[in-house]
Amino acid sequence: MRLLFAILAGIALCAQELPAQTYEEMIKKSYEYADANDLPAAEEALKAAMRLEPANKFNFALLTNLGTVQRRQGKFDDALISYTAALSQRPKDELILINRAELYTEINETEKAISDYNTLIINYPAHEQGLYNRGLLYINTGEFLLAQADFELIVDTYKDTFLGRFGYAILEKARGNYDESEIIFNYLAGNYPDNMRVLEERAELYFLTKRNARAMADLNKVFKATAEPAAEFYMLRGRVKLAQYEKESAAIDFKKARDLGYDKETVEKLLKETF
């Protein structure tokens, strides 16, 4: 979730351009509230600033930040309205397009997310993050050749790209080309040892190829290095433990994943296997 604080900082530096000091003050308050994780207050401060200056040329940035603050609160409908309003002012803005595409992805509106990435890439043809994100969506929809084209473009454009290679590894895993996928994951793990996503994805590959001890070794590193592991990490560790017949311990991980927001129906099915 990307906040346009750099732009808003510029507003503070150019206060002489603003007709009302209180507009700037409300923006500063929104910074402070967001930094303190008081998201409802940050939301209200941004709205107050825009009420004071509804025609201000910087409101696209405030709308974008408003959308992100709302999204972090789970107010997805409101966030979508805010991002869309921001795009109406800056239809080619890369950060706003990425924000809205990520929101569409989060609410499972895959086609709309891809549409936003298409717009982004039309305007920024070699946009690494956009190509990578779109490639992942293509994997999820089973359009492997389109995903491959996106990752190929990244690798061809950016010599030392992490995202392009990581995307390729995920793609080959999805295709069932486990040997090719493992080669890439091993390369990335060697060059980016602190990247927990690499270890997570490689752990899943080991799990799929029934090498559960190796999967658990990668997951142990993830849990040791991560203060607050995501639900997906608990789900994967639970699956590995279940495969190792550690049913009681697996159930604990599945319940933790459920508490962190993982799909309840999926969790319940796996919990039945721990009885």
Side-chain angles (χ1 to χ4, degrees):
M1 302 181 193
R2 295 162 176 79
L3 294 170
L4 294 181
F5 283 147
I7 293 174
L8 298 184
I11 296 174
L13 293 173
C14 302
Q16 66 272 16
E17 297 181 11
L18 301 174
Q21 182 70 15
T22 49
Y23 178 83
E24 181 194 357
E25 289 172 352
M26 295 312 298
I27 293 171
K28 288 181 178 179
K29 285 184 178 180
S30 75
Y31 290 157
E32 294 166 2
Y33 290 135
D35 287 342
N37 205 34
D38 188 347
L39 300 180
E43 179 178 0
E44 290 308 312
L46 289 165
K47 289 179 178 178
M50 288 185 283
R51 282 195 296 268
L52 288 167
E53 296 289 336
N56 193 289
K57 65 181 181 179
F58 293 111
N59 279 351
F60 77 93
L62 271 64
L63 284 164
T64 304
N65 281 5
L66 177 62
T68 297
V69 167
Q70 291 165 332
R71 181 176 158 200
R72 288 170 61 187
Q73 295 177 82
K75 298 180 177 180
F76 298 132
D77 290 341
D78 291 341
L80 182 57
I81 291 170
S82 297
Y83 287 147
T84 301
L87 278 172
S88 71
Q89 298 181 27
R90 292 289 185 98
K92 297 181 181 180
D93 189 286
E94 58 180 309
L95 292 181
I96 306 174
L97 283 166
I98 290 175
N99 269 303
R100 192 173 72 170
E102 289 178 344
L103 173 58
Y104 277 137
T105 300
E106 196 169 350
I107 62 177
N108 297 314
E109 293 279 2
T110 301
E111 289 186 7
K112 292 179 179 178
I114 290 174
S115 178
D116 273 352
Y117 286 126
N118 289 344
T119 301
L120 174 70
I121 292 162
I122 286 171
N123 289 287
Y124 307 92
H127 196 287
E128 185 178 17
Q129 188 70 53
L131 288 165
Y132 170 76
N133 289 359
R134 189 175 69 174
L136 293 184
L137 291 176
Y138 283 145
I139 291 174
N140 291 337
T141 59
E143 298 174 276
F144 294 155
L145 290 178
L146 292 176
Q148 179 177 325
D150 279 348
F151 299 140
E152 280 182 353
L153 181 54
I154 296 174
V155 172
D156 289 344
T157 306
Y158 304 99
K159 180 181 177 182
D160 297 320
T161 177
F162 167 83
L163 290 180
R165 291 182 175 84
F166 189 51
Y168 249 121
I170 295 171
L171 173 61
E172 295 301 348
K173 183 174 66 172
R175 284 170 159 168
N177 298 329
Y178 297 138
D179 290 343
E180 291 85 347
S181 180
E182 184 176 354
I183 289 170
I184 303 171
F185 281 135
N186 288 343
Y187 168 82
L188 293 174
N191 286 275
Y192 304 92
D194 297 327
N195 191 299
M196 296 299 104
R197 281 294 314 283
V198 173
L199 294 179
E200 178 198 11
E201 292 289 344
R202 189 174 68 174
E204 185 184 47
L205 173 64
Y206 286 144
F207 171 66
L208 291 171
T209 53
K210 302 185 185 305
R211 290 177 287 174
N212 295 311
R214 291 190 180 188
M216 190 59 72
D218 275 352
L219 287 170
N220 286 339
K221 293 176 184 177
V222 171
F223 275 85
K224 184 177 180 180
T226 308
E228 297 180 1
E232 290 76 14
F233 291 112
Y234 284 100
M235 283 298 293
L236 179 55
R237 192 173 69 172
R239 287 189 172 102
V240 175
K241 289 178 178 178
L242 188 60
Q244 294 177 318
Y245 302 101
E246 299 174 20
K247 294 186 176 183
E248 185 176 345
S249 184
I252 293 172
D253 276 349
F254 292 145
K255 290 175 182 177
K256 180 65 174 180
R258 181 184 58 193
D259 293 343
L260 290 172
Y262 204 89
D263 179 68
K264 291 182 179 179
E265 184 177 348
T266 302
V267 172
E268 293 304 321
K269 287 181 180 178
L270 286 168
L271 280 172
K272 289 179 182 178
E273 298 182 33
T274 66
F275 296 155

